[in-house]
Amino acid sequence: MNNLQSIVSHFNTKGTVNEIQPLGSGLINDTYKVTTLEADAPDYVLQRINHAIFQNVEMLQTNIEAVTRHIRKKLTEQGADDIDRKVLSFIPADTGKTYWYDGENYWRIMTFIPNAKTYETVDAEYSYYAGVAFGNFQAMLADIPDTLGETIPDFHNMEFRLKQLRDAVAADAAGRVKEVQYYLDEIEKRADEMCKGERLYREGKLPKRVCHCDTKVNNMMFDEEGKVLCVIDLDTVMPNFIFSDFGDFLRSAANTGAEDDKDLNNVNFNMAIFKAFAKGYLESAKVFLLPIEIENLPFATALFPYMQCVRFLADYINGDTYYKIKYPEHNLVRTKAQFKLLQSAEEHTPEMKEFIKESLV
């Protein structure tokens, strides 16, 4: 704790540190709760930023500062109450930056939001809340004056992900191409359609917006009454197509099976989850969405299982160099499960289009 206390001392916090304990179960950053002694001093959240993933910490924090500043401004203009619980607040260090480098690791501190919690539940009710929250998040940032950087370049770039797969096939490092030819053929059949986001962007028809890019139910904070307070985990906030936030949520939330389900009969696209999320999302996001964005929301639900299928398959062909595996065929099992989810999403596309049309009436 002494080392962590030393790190906290470099930030402009209030109160006396009482204890520092691990917080949550995040996979990327190491997170701690800093509890203060004084009743009138806030508690804090201390994080070690994963510098291996987020290599440009200056850009990362500049993005987050711009986003939280703009949301705070919007909430103030709206006359919202309890603003400090509705937007994250990062504390400056003695360098003037909202991060501190100890010579080896990068750290940041934000104010702890009291009486708030997250949920792991993915059902229709919480999918609706997620749709409202992430749609509102995008809506508030639709007119942000700052230009944000890409914290993970080409993160959701479909053309880039296909190039990675094709490079893997050309190298065939693990000698596995022959056994996966069926999936490679199916991926190539859809390649042109699945790259239409990048194509429409180059044609000037589809804009990039400020997106969250990690839309999970547990990336929202709820108050004591179960109402959404704010969206959290802003590390991946960057310019992208709105498909990122819409499709990525549904790839995990609307899958009736596991991401690596060996029994493909378990894997289908859950339309009840889609309808709940789409309803909430359109309620808050339709104020700024263009017709071409709304029209392609069903496309987004197919795009993300397709993209993940491509990524798992490329890693399998490369000899499992990126994703952690529990057994030799793990990435192939993941590929097959994502492909089944893709097929199910494609089958439900007409129903999705009809639902969206009805929702806008």
Side-chain angles (χ1 to χ4, degrees):
M1 175 166 150
N2 287 340
N3 180 45
L4 294 177
Q5 271 193 301
S6 169
I7 290 160
V8 172
S9 72
H10 287 276
F11 289 85
N12 187 24
T13 56
K14 297 173 182 174
T16 311
V17 174
N18 182 30
E19 63 175 4
I20 303 175
Q21 296 289 337
L23 179 68
S25 55
L27 301 176
I28 306 298
N29 302 313
D30 295 333
T31 305
Y32 304 88
K33 183 180 179 185
V34 180
T35 307
T36 54
L37 281 169
E38 294 84 357
D40 60 347
D43 294 333
Y44 297 95
V45 175
L46 169 69
Q47 283 189 321
R48 184 182 69 83
I49 300 168
N50 189 325
H51 187 224
I53 292 177
F54 302 106
Q55 296 180 6
N56 188 336
V57 174
E58 176 73 24
M59 178 198 288
L60 174 75
Q61 288 303 114
T62 299
N63 278 4
I64 290 173
E65 288 168 45
V67 164
T68 52
R69 182 170 60 242
H70 194 68
I71 291 174
R72 186 174 289 273
K73 177 173 174 281
K74 282 293 178 79
L75 291 171
T76 304
E77 288 170 355
Q78 292 166 9
D81 58 355
D82 218 4
I83 289 176
D84 285 336
R85 295 178 75 211
K86 293 178 179 174
V87 61
L88 298 180
S89 180
F90 289 80
I91 307 300
D94 50 22
T95 58
K97 307 281 190 182
T98 55
Y99 63 88
W100 187 72
Y101 182 56
D102 67 5
E104 188 176 342
N105 294 302
Y106 289 86
W107 300 86
R108 66 184 172 203
I109 288 183
M110 67 195 96
T111 305
F112 180 79
I113 300 176
N115 303 316
K117 52 188 173 182
T118 60
Y119 293 98
E120 300 290 338
T121 310
V122 181
D123 57 17
E125 181 184 5
Y126 284 98
S127 295
Y128 169 76
Y129 294 149
V132 172
F134 288 116
N136 189 49
F137 180 81
Q138 288 181 347
M140 282 198 288
L141 295 170
D143 61 350
I144 188 171
D146 309 78
T147 301
L148 272 58
E150 283 191 50
T151 46
I152 307 177
D154 295 314
F155 187 43
H156 286 162
N157 183 329
M158 195 60 250
E159 291 176 339
F160 173 73
R161 296 303 181 186
L162 277 168
K163 182 184 183 303
Q164 288 182 315
L165 175 63
R166 289 163 181 159
D167 288 348
V169 170
D172 197 12
R176 291 171 167 177
V177 166
K178 195 174 178 182
E179 68 171 297
V180 297
Q181 194 59 54
Y182 167 77
Y183 292 99
L184 289 169
D185 291 345
E186 290 295 320
I187 283 166
E188 288 298 344
K189 275 184 201 172
R190 296 165 170 82
D192 188 56
E193 167 68 9
M194 290 299 168
C195 291
K196 74 175 175 181
E198 288 78 16
R199 195 163 58 250
L200 289 168
Y201 175 70
R202 281 193 295 273
E203 292 169 1
K205 297 174 183 174
L206 183 69
K208 284 192 177 182
R209 311 253 190 206
V210 174
C211 295
H212 187 276
C213 297
D214 190 15
T215 45
K216 298 194 291 281
V217 165
N218 62 6
N219 277 338
M220 300 181 295
M221 297 287 279
F222 292 82
D223 68 13
E224 310 93 316
E225 297 172 4
K227 294 177 182 173
V228 176
L229 281 170
C230 63
V231 169
I232 60 172
D233 197 356
L234 306 179
D235 289 342
T236 53
V237 172
M238 55 183 148
N240 221 313
F241 308 127
I242 56 104
F243 307 151
S244 290
D245 286 359
F246 194 85
D248 200 22
F249 177 86
L250 290 165
R251 183 188 74 83
S252 54
N255 187 351
T256 58
E259 185 178 73
D260 58 354
D261 216 310
K262 290 184 179 180
D263 185 352
L264 296 181
N265 291 320
N266 294 334
V267 178
N268 285 294
F269 188 83
N270 186 330
M271 279 300 293
I273 297 293
F274 168 83
K275 289 177 179 178
F277 182 76
K279 181 177 186 291
Y281 180 78
L282 287 169
E283 279 178 14
S284 52
K286 67 182 178 184
V287 293
F288 74 90
L289 290 174
L290 298 177
I292 196 167
E293 292 172 304
I294 295 172
E295 173 192 328
N296 281 292
L297 289 177
F299 159 75
T301 67
L303 174 63
F304 276 80
Y306 177 85
M307 188 182 300
Q308 205 56 50
C309 180
V310 166
R311 294 183 68 186
F312 285 143
L313 186 56
D315 199 34
Y316 182 69
I317 292 169
N318 282 331
D320 311 304
T321 59
Y322 185 81
Y323 293 105
K324 289 181 181 175
I325 57 169
K326 294 178 181 175
Y327 50 90
E329 302 82 26
H330 199 173
N331 273 321
L332 182 57
V333 168
R334 288 165 166 155
T335 299
K336 291 177 178 179
Q338 290 299 293
F339 184 68
K340 174 67 189 304
L341 182 63
L342 164 65
Q343 289 176 308
S344 183
E346 289 172 339
E347 289 166 10
H348 285 99
T349 295
E351 190 182 347
M352 290 185 222
K353 287 182 175 177
E354 189 58 35
F355 179 80
I356 287 170
K357 188 177 171 184
E358 290 170 359
S359 298
L360 295 172
V361 174

PDB file of all heavy atoms in Angstrom, residues 319-333:
ATOM      1  N   GLY A 319      -1.218 -19.661 -35.706  1.00  0.00           N
ATOM      2  CA  GLY A 319      -0.679 -20.506 -34.647  1.00  0.00           C
ATOM      3  C   GLY A 319      -0.955 -19.979 -33.254  1.00  0.00           C
ATOM      4  O   GLY A 319      -0.189 -20.221 -32.317  1.00  0.00           O
ATOM      5  N   ASP A 320      -2.087 -19.230 -33.118  1.00  0.00           N
ATOM      6  CA  ASP A 320      -2.563 -18.778 -31.803  1.00  0.00           C
ATOM      7  C   ASP A 320      -1.554 -17.852 -31.114  1.00  0.00           C
ATOM      8  O   ASP A 320      -1.060 -18.138 -30.025  1.00  0.00           O
ATOM      9  CB  ASP A 320      -2.881 -19.971 -30.901  1.00  0.00           C
ATOM     10  CG  ASP A 320      -3.753 -21.003 -31.594  1.00  0.00           C
ATOM     11  OD1 ASP A 320      -4.844 -20.629 -32.062  1.00  0.00           O
ATOM     12  OD2 ASP A 320      -3.336 -22.172 -31.706  1.00  0.00           O
ATOM     13  N   THR A 321      -1.263 -16.738 -31.761  1.00  0.00           N
ATOM     14  CA  THR A 321      -0.261 -15.809 -31.233  1.00  0.00           C
ATOM     15  C   THR A 321      -0.852 -14.599 -30.517  1.00  0.00           C
ATOM     16  O   THR A 321      -0.127 -13.843 -29.886  1.00  0.00           O
ATOM     17  CB  THR A 321       0.641 -15.293 -32.385  1.00  0.00           C
ATOM     18  OG1 THR A 321      -0.190 -14.640 -33.358  1.00  0.00           O
ATOM     19  CG2 THR A 321       1.394 -16.433 -33.050  1.00  0.00           C
ATOM     20  N   TYR A 322      -2.174 -14.399 -30.599  1.00  0.00           N
ATOM     21  CA  TYR A 322      -2.790 -13.196 -30.041  1.00  0.00           C
ATOM     22  C   TYR A 322      -3.734 -13.512 -28.880  1.00  0.00           C
ATOM     23  O   TYR A 322      -3.546 -13.038 -27.766  1.00  0.00           O
ATOM     24  CB  TYR A 322      -3.534 -12.426 -31.138  1.00  0.00           C
ATOM     25  CG  TYR A 322      -4.109 -11.105 -30.673  1.00  0.00           C
ATOM     26  CD1 TYR A 322      -3.313  -9.974 -30.572  1.00  0.00           C
ATOM     27  CD2 TYR A 322      -5.461 -10.983 -30.326  1.00  0.00           C
ATOM     28  CE1 TYR A 322      -3.833  -8.757 -30.141  1.00  0.00           C
ATOM     29  CE2 TYR A 322      -5.994  -9.781 -29.890  1.00  0.00           C
ATOM     30  CZ  TYR A 322      -5.175  -8.673 -29.793  1.00  0.00           C
ATOM     31  OH  TYR A 322      -5.698  -7.493 -29.355  1.00  0.00           O
ATOM     32  N   TYR A 323      -4.766 -14.295 -29.142  1.00  0.00           N
ATOM     33  CA  TYR A 323      -5.747 -14.613 -28.095  1.00  0.00           C
ATOM     34  C   TYR A 323      -5.245 -15.757 -27.211  1.00  0.00           C
ATOM     35  O   TYR A 323      -4.635 -16.713 -27.700  1.00  0.00           O
ATOM     36  CB  TYR A 323      -7.091 -15.015 -28.719  1.00  0.00           C
ATOM     37  CG  TYR A 323      -7.796 -13.893 -29.430  1.00  0.00           C
ATOM     38  CD1 TYR A 323      -7.820 -13.839 -30.826  1.00  0.00           C
ATOM     39  CD2 TYR A 323      -8.435 -12.879 -28.732  1.00  0.00           C
ATOM     40  CE1 TYR A 323      -8.464 -12.807 -31.492  1.00  0.00           C
ATOM     41  CE2 TYR A 323      -9.081 -11.840 -29.389  1.00  0.00           C
ATOM     42  CZ  TYR A 323      -9.090 -11.814 -30.770  1.00  0.00           C
ATOM     43  OH  TYR A 323      -9.730 -10.787 -31.428  1.00  0.00           O
ATOM     44  N   LYS A 324      -5.543 -15.652 -25.932  1.00  0.00           N
ATOM     45  CA  LYS A 324      -5.225 -16.756 -25.026  1.00  0.00           C
ATOM     46  C   LYS A 324      -6.129 -17.942 -25.354  1.00  0.00           C
ATOM     47  O   LYS A 324      -7.325 -17.772 -25.584  1.00  0.00           O
ATOM     48  CB  LYS A 324      -5.431 -16.333 -23.567  1.00  0.00           C
ATOM     49  CG  LYS A 324      -4.381 -15.351 -23.072  1.00  0.00           C
ATOM     50  CD  LYS A 324      -4.626 -14.977 -21.620  1.00  0.00           C
ATOM     51  CE  LYS A 324      -3.593 -13.971 -21.131  1.00  0.00           C
ATOM     52  NZ  LYS A 324      -3.874 -13.515 -19.762  1.00  0.00           N
ATOM     53  N   ILE A 325      -5.565 -19.128 -25.369  1.00  0.00           N
ATOM     54  CA  ILE A 325      -6.351 -20.337 -25.668  1.00  0.00           C
ATOM     55  C   ILE A 325      -6.252 -21.319 -24.506  1.00  0.00           C
ATOM     56  O   ILE A 325      -5.262 -21.345 -23.781  1.00  0.00           O
ATOM     57  CB  ILE A 325      -5.898 -21.009 -26.981  1.00  0.00           C
ATOM     58  CG1 ILE A 325      -4.401 -21.361 -26.930  1.00  0.00           C
ATOM     59  CG2 ILE A 325      -6.200 -20.122 -28.180  1.00  0.00           C
ATOM     60  CD1 ILE A 325      -3.953 -22.262 -28.063  1.00  0.00           C
ATOM     61  N   LYS A 326      -7.307 -22.133 -24.369  1.00  0.00           N
ATOM     62  CA  LYS A 326      -7.333 -23.139 -23.305  1.00  0.00           C
ATOM     63  C   LYS A 326      -7.053 -24.532 -23.849  1.00  0.00           C
ATOM     64  O   LYS A 326      -6.794 -25.459 -23.084  1.00  0.00           O
ATOM     65  CB  LYS A 326      -8.701 -23.119 -22.610  1.00  0.00           C
ATOM     66  CG  LYS A 326      -8.971 -21.820 -21.860  1.00  0.00           C
ATOM     67  CD  LYS A 326     -10.351 -21.828 -21.222  1.00  0.00           C
ATOM     68  CE  LYS A 326     -10.612 -20.507 -20.492  1.00  0.00           C
ATOM     69  NZ  LYS A 326     -11.990 -20.428 -19.957  1.00  0.00           N
ATOM     70  N   TYR A 327      -7.123 -24.700 -25.167  1.00  0.00           N
ATOM     71  CA  TYR A 327      -6.826 -25.974 -25.824  1.00  0.00           C
ATOM     72  C   TYR A 327      -6.486 -25.676 -27.286  1.00  0.00           C
ATOM     73  O   TYR A 327      -6.811 -24.585 -27.788  1.00  0.00           O
ATOM     74  CB  TYR A 327      -8.006 -26.942 -25.694  1.00  0.00           C
ATOM     75  CG  TYR A 327      -9.343 -26.368 -26.096  1.00  0.00           C
ATOM     76  CD1 TYR A 327      -9.807 -26.464 -27.407  1.00  0.00           C
ATOM     77  CD2 TYR A 327     -10.157 -25.714 -25.160  1.00  0.00           C
ATOM     78  CE1 TYR A 327     -11.036 -25.934 -27.786  1.00  0.00           C
ATOM     79  CE2 TYR A 327     -11.385 -25.178 -25.536  1.00  0.00           C
ATOM     80  CZ  TYR A 327     -11.815 -25.290 -26.838  1.00  0.00           C
ATOM     81  OH  TYR A 327     -13.026 -24.766 -27.213  1.00  0.00           O
ATOM     82  N   PRO A 328      -5.832 -26.588 -27.997  1.00  0.00           N
ATOM     83  CA  PRO A 328      -5.286 -26.285 -29.328  1.00  0.00           C
ATOM     84  C   PRO A 328      -6.298 -25.766 -30.356  1.00  0.00           C
ATOM     85  O   PRO A 328      -5.950 -24.948 -31.199  1.00  0.00           O
ATOM     86  CB  PRO A 328      -4.687 -27.626 -29.776  1.00  0.00           C
ATOM     87  CG  PRO A 328      -4.355 -28.333 -28.503  1.00  0.00           C
ATOM     88  CD  PRO A 328      -5.419 -27.923 -27.527  1.00  0.00           C
ATOM     89  N   GLU A 329      -7.552 -26.245 -30.310  1.00  0.00           N
ATOM     90  CA  GLU A 329      -8.543 -25.835 -31.323  1.00  0.00           C
ATOM     91  C   GLU A 329      -9.413 -24.670 -30.857  1.00  0.00           C
ATOM     92  O   GLU A 329     -10.425 -24.356 -31.488  1.00  0.00           O
ATOM     93  CB  GLU A 329      -9.467 -27.010 -31.688  1.00  0.00           C
ATOM     94  CG  GLU A 329      -8.764 -28.238 -32.228  1.00  0.00           C
ATOM     95  CD  GLU A 329      -8.190 -29.114 -31.114  1.00  0.00           C
ATOM     96  OE1 GLU A 329      -8.727 -29.064 -29.981  1.00  0.00           O
ATOM     97  OE2 GLU A 329      -7.190 -29.798 -31.366  1.00  0.00           O
ATOM     98  N   HIS A 330      -9.032 -24.025 -29.760  1.00  0.00           N
ATOM     99  CA  HIS A 330      -9.912 -23.027 -29.144  1.00  0.00           C
ATOM    100  C   HIS A 330     -10.292 -21.915 -30.130  1.00  0.00           C
ATOM    101  O   HIS A 330     -11.460 -21.534 -30.238  1.00  0.00           O
ATOM    102  CB  HIS A 330      -9.240 -22.441 -27.907  1.00  0.00           C
ATOM    103  CG  HIS A 330     -10.193 -21.770 -26.967  1.00  0.00           C
ATOM    104  ND1 HIS A 330      -9.832 -21.296 -25.727  1.00  0.00           N
ATOM    105  CD2 HIS A 330     -11.516 -21.468 -27.077  1.00  0.00           C
ATOM    106  CE1 HIS A 330     -10.880 -20.751 -25.129  1.00  0.00           C
ATOM    107  NE2 HIS A 330     -11.912 -20.833 -25.929  1.00  0.00           N
ATOM    108  N   ASN A 331      -9.322 -21.385 -30.855  1.00  0.00           N
ATOM    109  CA  ASN A 331      -9.627 -20.300 -31.795  1.00  0.00           C
ATOM    110  C   ASN A 331     -10.487 -20.780 -32.964  1.00  0.00           C
ATOM    111  O   ASN A 331     -11.289 -20.012 -33.502  1.00  0.00           O
ATOM    112  CB  ASN A 331      -8.342 -19.657 -32.326  1.00  0.00           C
ATOM    113  CG  ASN A 331      -7.843 -18.540 -31.416  1.00  0.00           C
ATOM    114  OD1 ASN A 331      -8.637 -17.769 -30.883  1.00  0.00           O
ATOM    115  ND2 ASN A 331      -6.531 -18.474 -31.224  1.00  0.00           N
ATOM    116  N   LEU A 332     -10.367 -22.038 -33.341  1.00  0.00           N
ATOM    117  CA  LEU A 332     -11.219 -22.588 -34.401  1.00  0.00           C
ATOM    118  C   LEU A 332     -12.652 -22.751 -33.892  1.00  0.00           C
ATOM    119  O   LEU A 332     -13.612 -22.445 -34.609  1.00  0.00           O
ATOM    120  CB  LEU A 332     -10.669 -23.927 -34.891  1.00  0.00           C
ATOM    121  CG  LEU A 332     -11.443 -24.590 -36.038  1.00  0.00           C
ATOM    122  CD1 LEU A 332     -11.551 -23.666 -37.246  1.00  0.00           C
ATOM    123  CD2 LEU A 332     -10.797 -25.915 -36.434  1.00  0.00           C
ATOM    124  N   VAL A 333     -12.786 -23.182 -32.651  1.00  0.00           N
ATOM    125  CA  VAL A 333     -14.115 -23.294 -32.032  1.00  0.00           C
ATOM    126  C   VAL A 333     -14.766 -21.913 -31.956  1.00  0.00           C
ATOM    127  O   VAL A 333     -15.949 -21.744 -32.265  1.00  0.00           O
ATOM    128  CB  VAL A 333     -14.009 -23.945 -30.631  1.00  0.00           C
ATOM    129  CG1 VAL A 333     -15.309 -23.798 -29.851  1.00  0.00           C
ATOM    130  CG2 VAL A 333     -13.640 -25.416 -30.763  1.00  0.00           C
TER     131      VAL A 333
END
